[in-house]
Amino acid sequence: MTVPVPTSPPRAHPAGPPPRFEVAVVGAGAAGLAAALALARDGVETALVGRHAPVADGRTVALLDGSVRFLRVLGAWDEIAPHAAPLAELQIVDDTGSLFRPPPARFSASEIGLDAFGWNVESARLVETLRRQARTTPGLTLFEADSAGMHRADGAAALALEDGRSLEARLVVGADGGRSPLRTAASLRTREWSYPQAALTTLLAHDRPHRDISTEFHTRNGPFTLVPLPGGHRSSLVWVTAERAAKRLSDLDDAALAAAVEHQARSMLGAMRIDGPRGLVPMRGLSVANPVAERLALIGEAAHVFPPIGAQGLNLGLRDAAALRDAVFSAREANRDPGAPASLAGFARTRSMDARLRGTAVDWLNRSLLTGLLPVDALRGLGLVALGAIPPLRRFVMREGVQPRLGAPQLMR
Ligand SMILES: Cc1cc2nc3c(=O)[nH]c(=O)nc-3n(C[C@H](O)[C@H](O)[C@H](O)COP(=O)(O)OP(=O)(O)OC[C@H]3O[C@@H](n4cnc5c(N)ncnc54)[C@H](O)[C@@H]3O)c2cc1C
């Protein structure tokens, strides 16, 4: 697959020929920042292209074990840790009203020898911390402008920036999010779909302590999840429900929304108060057949999008970032061009498989809630009962969900 060559070349760099880098990462979200830091810290001349575009939408991310290891290596974890809450236990409550409703299931991180399944932190804080780290990392050059397109150059790819500058790199990493302009320009085969749902996000203060337990209510319209934040009496909310209902909820004033959340949570955490910004995200899915084209590799949501179930999205994106760093390093050790198809083949294979596995599981669970078909309810219920009753199976599923060891990138081991 080749990147189409546009009719007009990029504008000349104001101060002479465009600077050339080994790798240029486009997109300064969490996945792009992590990839750029991972490459630069080990001496790869790297450019990071993208404006800082903070979003205040009350969204948090539960960072699983491998992601925390990665952030630690990148030198960012010490700054994030005081603002992250451990998820020591996960609780799933079937609230579908189905005939085959299993009892609530509890999973404890201590069963697999961990203090926590993961750590929950506000997305905006994570990005801000990585951004600060990027500003002081030697070998990492920041271009605080959006990319306007990618073109073929001699032995490299040329990037035109919206502010008129340009640069070249042997490999371009597309970390430019779910609507990735680089993915579109490269005509990578993409499958997109939508769900009749939206996710309402916000931060909550509550009377009763969460005791580091994350609770997911599986409702007929999607999962309603409360995830602990530091301090014991704050949590983040991800309420996936029917599109119209989500819009209605998001239009409520703070007191009415807090009451609705408390009702849905069966007052498990006592009285609630809205304690942060809100967001409303339509539920969609996206996958690419192959995340790689000539001199281009996609990571994060540029390559895969799915509903926020089981904290998989950014954890997958960080695995992409760490795996990409490994691919560039292998190419370097073998004196190969990092942008050549052969250098990216292994990355493409393992990342496609990981994204397909996670994406399929999340899609199945989400759709199984929506169908209302008894056999599907029975299957989902049986699955939960089996996990509760068979400890080795439970431990296997927990380990695979938190720290998939097979093919884990080096900086996550
Ligand atoms: C409600 C909700 C809850 C979630 N909870 C979790 C969770 O608990 N755990 C988890 O792992 N994941 C979670 N996710 C998923 C996670 O939020 C996303 O996977 C993650 O934020 C995507 O990061 P990214 O860097 O790939 O993309 P983005 O954050 O979208 O970043 C892309 C960046 O590219 C920039 N960009 C776009 N075009 C250009 C251009 N032309 N030039 C330069 N830059 C450009 C954008 O401005 C942006 O800064 C959740 C998602 C939702 C919706």
Side-chain angles (χ1 to χ4, degrees), residues 26-33 49-53 59-64 67 120 123 127 145-149 162 175-182 199-201 227 237-238 240 281-283 299-302 304 306-317:
V26 176
L33 280 159
V49 174
R51 284 175 300 112
H52 184 33
R59 193 190 303 189
T60 64
V61 278
L63 297 164
L64 303 179
S67 300
N120 192 37
S123 298
V127 171
D146 278 353
S147 142
E162 283 193 334
D176 47 352
R179 313 259 170 225
S180 170
L182 284 174
L200 173 73
T201 53
V227 194
L237 168 75
V238 182
V240 179
V281 194
M283 288 297 90
I299 63 168
E301 288 207 333
H304 43 72
F306 39 77
I309 299 177
Q312 294 296 324
L314 182 61
N315 287 289
L316 197 59

Side-chain angles (χ1 to χ4, degrees), residues 310-378:
Q312 294 296 324
L314 182 61
N315 287 289
L316 197 59
L318 293 176
R319 283 208 290 287
D320 297 342
L324 186 90
R325 175 257 177 216
D326 289 355
V328 171
F329 266 68
S330 302
R332 197 159 130 146
E333 274 168 14
N335 218 5
R336 280 199 318 254
D337 180 347
S343 304
L344 297 169
F347 167 85
R349 205 172 38 250
T350 55
R351 299 322 303 143
S352 297
M353 197 188 298
D354 198 4
R356 209 166 31 245
L357 276 176
R358 314 273 150 189
T360 306
V362 165
D363 180 68
W364 186 84
L365 179 57
N366 191 35
R367 288 186 197 279
S368 79
L369 293 171
L370 297 176
T371 61
L373 293 173
L374 273 184
V376 178
D377 282 350

Side-chain angles (χ1 to χ4, degrees), residues 139-188:
L140 179 54
T141 307
L142 304 192
F143 290 82
E144 309 233 2
D146 278 353
S147 142
M150 176 175 159
H151 317 262
R152 231 181 279 157
D154 188 20
L159 282 174
L161 307 194
E162 283 193 334
D163 63 4
R165 288 180 292 172
S166 58
L167 59 105
E168 292 179 358
R170 296 217 286 171
L171 172 65
V172 171
V173 177
D176 47 352
R179 313 259 170 225
S180 170
L182 284 174
R183 183 188 66 231
T184 308
S187 306
L188 282 175

